[in-house]
Amino acid sequence: MSHIHIPDGILNYNLWIGALLITFAILFIILRTINKDEVMHKIPYTGVAAAIMLLGMSVPLVIVPVHLSLAVLTGILVGPKLGFIAVFIVNVILALFGHGGITLIGLNTLIIGSEVLIGYSIFKLLAKKGRYIMGTMVATVVAVIISMSLMVGVVATTGHLSEALPHSCGHDHGEEQILDESNEVNVYDHHHDFHEELEDVHYLAFTGWTAVGLIFAAGLLLESIGTTLIVKYFMKVRPGLISAVETQQNT
Amino acid sequence: MEPLIKVKCLKHIYPDKTEVNLCGLDFIVNPGERVVILGPNGSGKTTLLSHVLGLLSPVEGTVEVMGLSPHKDFNKIRKEIGVIFQNVDEQIIGPRVFDDIAFTLRNEGMKKETVDCRVNHISKRLGISEFLYKIPHYLSGGQKKKVALAGALSMNPKLLVMDEPFDALDPKSKREMVSTLNDLNKKEGTTLIITTHDIDIVPSIADVIYIVNKGDIVMKGTPEEVFSRVDILKEANLEPPVIGELFNRLRKRGYIVDTPKNLEEAEELLLMLLEKQKVV
Amino acid sequence: MHLADIDHLSVNGNSILHRCKVISKLILVLSFLTSFLITSDLTTLLGLIIIQVLFFVVGKIPIKKVIHLAIYPVFFSLLFALIMGRNEWTIAFVIILRALGAALTMLMLITTTPYVDLFATLSFVMPSILVDIFLVTYRSFFILIDKVERLLKNMKLRGGYSSLNVFKNLKSIAGTIGVLIIHSFDMSERMYKIYALRGYNGKIPIEASVFPLHKVDYMVIMMGILIFVGTVIPWNL
């Protein structure tokens, strides 16, 4: 569910260009190491997985104000490598349509991609012991917590960054936002009112981080329960789809 | 004449352990024939087609297409076969109509001029030239079917396999489709294998009908033969075409009439009967 | 995200921008984006936005549609602007205009360029597997969106939605997504089979034409260079 939502033009160049380069490097490695024949078979599979993620982001589910990002589920279903590619493709398409921010393609791919990889690995470990449902729950919780921390961590430690706007990936735009400090935009005077802003940060830290915590907790809960319910449903009607993960060769 | 397709007592096990046994009569298709497979849902029609296309490999039994095993010799066979699946949306790959029709041609490494020429020829023939540069998802169901057919015909296949080609077509498009297919069969000698639920259309498009029920091929015959066996049809949850049923009933009442193939023939026959009555 | 709307604009549109080659538009886009990202001068940003709007006019893209599509990024930039620019309104405007500009740039590209052409041109530099997945994603999206709408309607009709019980909703939604995924993966299996039958060998062949460039292409490229130079020069002086 972690998914940064920062408008273009705010992020530090080093951060977004760096993330983009790392993303390209990972894509390059994935494309070099995957088995071409097997991948040919899975291209429609991956495309469909990406389309489902895109749908999740474009069909407003009015029923519940947030929706599921399904990153861990994607990992479980198509494997970490193709899952990463699917995440990249979703982010590029979102950016193309002015929805995601062109400067965020790399960062968001890395963050959601980490969710795919971590979720897949934990699930695989537990699924080997036959613990599919528990495996899904644990995999989603851990993956989402790590990707959220990555998001907040990466963004916050870069210093110049304003906010790691936690966005439950959906249409809950009215939710409270957190604040930090920033003067990245103010290129003329980097240290402008630095102390003043620092005080603001202290003041805002409490409410800000509480809000973040709440939003994250809600997102975490929804994503993990949602993913688990979906996997449970698969186990009932099509167990082959999930148990295939055990035989998957990390594609 | 050596048959184009021979399928004998086929057994297939799906990954979810569902077993399909296609035994009973052999499935034989001769070159230039128009073959229709009828049967209720889940009777094994699609499994049969998948084996003929080489998409599945049989656990038991034999499948021969043009003397080869379609699964093993997939790459040789597929060039000779055109296919239309039930949901054409899923088979249209090219991002534009032109790209889709050209898909196989380009994959075979044909020259641009040849590709252009063939695509233009086929699209003209099927009447889809005007939307060659459209994106497929904005076409109507009938238009998409035509695009899929154009793609299937691009390699001039000897055999055209179609799963429910009349599904979701309005009456006019259906008639057009039937006449296109018959034209193709007549002029190019293309062998047709069609599955359909649309029984009223069958007499006008079939030389031979196979009835598949519960995994068995239970009957083979000409439309007249098949549609007169109401017992077998009922067992397979099928009903004879309205026209066929009407003439059956007339026969039961003592009128000596053949079963007509289409509406026009039926009209002629009925007029003849009525004329006789007029004289009497 | 209005994928279908945008698709319509790009496919059915008929303007100089629609006719010009993707490569020249990409150069224009690159120059616009760089200009927006490196400028902090309010007047320059405003100027760039005005030029951008003119491009939409030239592209015959209804401004109302553009505004509609740009609301999402503007909304987010507004939040940031309120927070970050609380001491200075210029910062707030810079944030909003930059975000708006970047979004408009992408929208200008995608509303005047059918995705097929875009990916066909990108296929020169992008590995074919990626291009293919892009194309399949796009097609699948349009096939699936109908399914989703039907499933959602079905879910509501069958009482799978209660406005009070969040957990019940989540359960129905999970079931709906489950059904959708199973349908989709069956679909992808069928797609693979037919791709194989139709001779798919790891690359969907599409045609991209880059050359020859026409007068309009040179004009667009020149505009791009001018915009970039115009943004950079006064900034350095």
Side-chain angles (χ1 to χ4, degrees):
Chain A
M1 80 133 230
S2 315
H3 177 157
I4 314 181
H5 243 289
I6 301 170
D8 280 327
I10 294 182
L11 277 176
N12 186 316
Y13 298 117
N14 300 333
L15 184 63
W16 71 262
I17 293 176
L20 201 59
L21 290 178
I22 296 172
T23 303
F24 285 150
I26 294 177
L27 281 174
F28 179 76
I29 295 168
I30 290 178
L31 292 174
R32 286 296 289 270
T33 54
I34 39 179
N35 174 345
K36 255 216 142 168
D37 286 336
E38 200 179 334
V39 162
M40 224 170 85
H41 193 133
K42 287 204 167 165
I43 282 177
Y45 210 58
T46 314
V48 164
I52 291 175
M53 282 199 258
L54 260 184
L55 268 176
M57 294 174 190
S58 61
V59 176
L61 289 179
V62 276
I63 304 125
V64 173
V66 287
H67 66 73
L68 312 162
S69 89
L70 307 177
V72 175
L73 191 69
T74 307
I76 293 175
L77 291 172
V78 303
K81 288 183 181 173
L82 291 174
F84 189 87
I85 296 181
V87 167
F88 171 70
I89 279 166
V90 168
N91 277 307
V92 171
I93 293 181
L94 285 176
L96 271 180
F97 290 80
H99 195 92
I102 195 95
T103 54
L104 283 171
I105 293 178
L107 270 177
N108 273 335
T109 305
L110 289 181
I111 288 169
I112 307 174
S114 75
E115 213 172 297
V116 171
L117 174 69
I118 296 162
Y120 166 83
S121 314
I122 296 175
F123 179 80
K124 196 177 175 184
L125 208 70
L126 290 168
K128 269 186 191 154
K129 296 174 187 157
R131 310 205 139 176
Y132 294 106
I133 306 300
M134 212 263 281
T136 314
M137 192 59 141
V138 175
T140 318
V141 170
V142 177
V144 171
I145 289 180
I146 294 179
S147 77
M148 279 173 177
S149 324
L150 261 179
M151 178 177 113
V152 178
V154 169
V155 170
T157 48
T158 351
H160 289 311
L161 226 276
S162 47
E163 16 190 301
L165 182 65
H167 174 55
S168 311
C169 223
H171 301 266
D172 50 340
H173 302 156
E175 284 188 63
E176 225 176 317
Q177 314 298 341
I178 45 141
L179 328 170
D180 264 38
E181 63 84 32
S182 166
N183 40 23
E184 166 66 13
V185 171
N186 191 350
V187 283
Y188 304 110
D189 181 8
H190 253 347
H191 300 288
H192 157 86
D193 284 344
F194 184 69
H195 290 289
E196 224 171 276
E197 297 221 356
L198 207 61
E199 272 168 38
D200 283 349
V201 175
H202 282 303
Y203 165 69
L204 288 162
F206 178 70
T207 47
W209 289 109
T210 313
V212 178
L214 281 176
I215 295 168
F216 276 3
L220 179 64
L221 203 68
L222 280 177
E223 185 77 26
S224 50
I225 294 177
T227 309
T228 310
L229 284 173
I230 295 171
V231 170
K232 209 170 161 184
Y233 177 84
F234 286 156
M235 295 306 296
K236 235 192 292 177
V237 300
R238 188 75 69 84
L241 216 54
I242 297 297
S243 53
V245 82
E246 293 165 65
T247 53
Q248 238 162 30
Q249 301 272 311
N250 285 342
T251 40
Chain B
M1 186 167 42
E2 189 62 19
L4 198 69
I5 297 171
K6 265 196 277 187
V7 180
K8 274 188 184 177
C9 211
L10 200 70
K11 182 179 176 184
H12 185 78
I13 303 172
Y14 280 99
D16 62 353
K17 309 278 184 280
T18 316
E19 254 188 63
V20 181
N21 280 296
L22 273 163
C23 251
L25 300 170
D26 292 348
F27 180 72
I28 309 264
V29 178
N30 293 311
E33 255 178 355
R34 299 174 301 163
V35 176
V36 169
I37 307 170
L38 293 175
N41 287 334
S43 57
K45 286 175 295 183
T46 308
T47 309
L48 178 62
L49 289 189
S50 302
H51 280 279
V52 168
L53 295 171
L55 295 173
L56 297 174
S57 163
V59 179
E60 278 171 28
T62 50
V63 184
E64 257 181 45
V65 177
M66 299 166 204
L68 298 167
S69 152
H71 190 72
K72 280 190 202 131
D73 302 302
F74 184 76
N75 276 320
K76 274 187 212 158
I77 295 284
R78 67 165 178 75
K79 292 179 194 168
E80 309 289 343
I81 307 180
V83 189
I84 300 187
F85 275 170
Q86 184 169 7
N87 190 342
V88 284
D89 256 322
E90 292 164 7
Q91 88 172 75
I92 297 176
I93 313 165
R96 281 180 202 275
V97 172
F98 188 98
D99 297 305
D100 190 71
I101 302 174
F103 183 79
T104 315
L105 303 173
R106 286 177 181 161
N107 277 328
E108 294 302 323
M110 288 190 187
K111 272 195 210 139
K112 191 181 175 308
E113 295 80 40
T114 322
V115 173
D116 289 357
C117 173
R118 280 217 199 174
V119 173
N120 286 325
H121 175 75
I122 297 167
S123 50
K124 222 182 239 168
R125 177 170 188 177
L126 297 180
I128 51 174
S129 309
E130 76 221 70
F131 41 83
L132 269 184
Y133 294 95
K134 289 244 155 68
I135 289 182
H137 43 249
Y138 297 117
L139 302 179
S140 72
Q143 290 168 331
K144 280 183 199 162
K145 282 255 154 101
K146 281 186 181 170
V147 172
L149 181 61
L153 293 178
S154 65
M155 293 287 285
N156 297 326
K158 285 191 191 139
L159 171 67
L160 196 55
V161 177
M162 289 162 282
D163 197 2
E164 300 285 349
F166 312 111
D167 198 32
L169 288 185
D170 58 60
K172 187 175 166 256
S173 315
K174 227 181 261 183
R175 278 198 302 276
E176 280 176 11
M177 190 73 158
V178 168
S179 81
T180 309
L181 292 175
N182 280 334
D183 190 51
L184 207 68
N185 172 266
K186 218 182 207 171
K187 287 189 182 147
E188 325 259 328
T190 314
T191 309
L192 307 177
I193 300 181
I194 300 167
T195 71
T196 182
H197 280 110
D198 201 329
I199 211 132
D200 285 313
I201 246 174
V202 175
S204 58
I205 190 101
D207 298 316
V208 179
I209 298 175
Y210 279 91
I211 296 191
V212 183
N213 191 21
K214 294 177 193 147
D216 277 337
I217 300 178
V218 291
M219 189 178 180
K220 174 195 179 176
T222 60
E224 293 81 22
E225 288 164 358
V226 169
F227 290 136
S228 59
R229 292 298 302 273
V230 181
D231 50 330
I232 294 181
L233 291 175
K234 289 253 159 80
E235 204 169 300
N237 255 340
L238 296 165
E239 285 194 358
V242 180
I243 297 176
E245 180 68 10
L246 175 67
F247 279 76
N248 255 340
R249 291 185 186 188
L250 288 176
R251 266 196 299 274
K252 272 185 196 158
R253 286 174 175 252
Y255 291 94
I256 305 160
V257 279
D258 287 335
T259 307
K261 278 203 184 92
N262 49 38
L263 198 61
E264 287 71 28
E265 268 189 46
E267 188 185 9
E268 285 298 316
L269 280 169
L270 281 176
L271 280 173
M272 265 164 57
L273 278 179
L274 291 169
E275 283 296 317
K276 273 184 208 163
Q277 224 177 29
K278 212 165 138 188
V279 177
V280 172
Chain C
M1 204 183 38
H2 314 289
L3 214 58
D5 280 356
I6 294 175
D7 217 33
H8 258 301
L9 289 173
S10 63
V11 174
N12 300 325
N14 179 21
S15 73
I16 299 175
L17 273 184
H18 283 87
R19 282 192 295 274
C20 113
K21 291 266 161 64
V22 181
I23 189 81
S24 26
K25 273 185 273 188
L26 282 176
I27 294 172
L28 178 70
V29 161
L30 202 68
S31 112
F32 255 126
L33 275 181
T34 333
S35 307
F36 274 117
L37 291 180
I38 58 172
T39 318
S40 295
D41 178 41
L42 208 53
T43 343
T44 318
L45 280 170
L46 263 173
L48 284 169
I49 299 258
I50 291 169
I51 300 172
Q52 189 100 73
V53 172
L54 288 176
F55 269 101
F56 278 106
V57 174
V58 171
K60 297 184 192 162
I61 304 297
I63 296 295
K64 230 172 139 184
K65 271 260 158 67
V66 178
I67 294 172
H68 188 68
L69 292 167
I71 280 180
Y72 190 87
V74 167
F75 175 83
F76 273 99
S77 64
L78 209 67
L79 288 177
F80 279 81
L82 283 175
I83 296 156
M84 292 165 70
R86 58 191 178 278
N87 294 328
E88 220 173 320
W89 63 271
T90 37
I91 297 180
F93 273 103
V94 167
I95 292 171
I96 296 173
L97 290 182
R98 262 190 190 176
L100 175 68
L104 285 180
T105 308
M106 296 322 286
L107 286 172
M108 179 190 72
L109 175 69
I110 204 73
T111 50
T112 59
T113 318
Y115 77 99
V116 188
D117 299 338
L118 186 62
F119 289 127
T121 305
L122 289 178
S123 70
F124 286 114
V125 288
M126 218 155 63
S128 62
I129 295 180
L130 278 186
V131 177
D132 286 4
I133 298 178
F134 264 113
L135 293 173
V136 176
T137 303
Y138 216 86
R139 277 229 24 92
S140 311
F141 180 87
F142 282 93
I143 299 175
L144 289 179
I145 200 155
D146 290 337
K147 281 195 180 155
V148 170
E149 276 165 7
R150 276 201 301 273
L151 280 169
L152 283 178
K153 242 181 242 161
N154 195 12
M155 184 181 107
K156 280 185 193 169
L157 283 172
R158 289 170 60 187
Y161 158 59
S162 109
S163 50
L164 296 171
N165 192 339
V166 175
F167 189 73
K168 185 179 166 195
N169 289 349
L170 192 65
K171 212 172 162 182
S172 323
I173 291 173
T176 309
I177 296 175
V179 174
L180 179 74
I181 292 177
I182 287 180
H183 280 189
S184 316
F185 284 117
D186 286 346
M187 179 178 96
S188 77
E189 272 298 304
R190 291 193 297 271
M191 280 161 106
Y192 173 69
K193 283 178 182 165
I194 191 102
Y195 285 20
L197 273 169
R198 299 189 62 192
Y200 179 64
N201 52 17
K203 188 177 189 309
I204 297 177
I206 38 175
E207 228 170 44
S209 67
V210 172
F211 295 107
L213 293 179
H214 297 293
K215 225 188 219 164
V216 53
D217 293 303
Y218 291 114
M219 266 164 60
V220 167
I221 295 172
M222 274 307 288
M223 287 291 286
I225 296 170
L226 279 177
I227 286 164
F228 180 69
V229 172
T231 313
V232 174
I233 288 179
W235 191 57
N236 281 343
L237 285 177

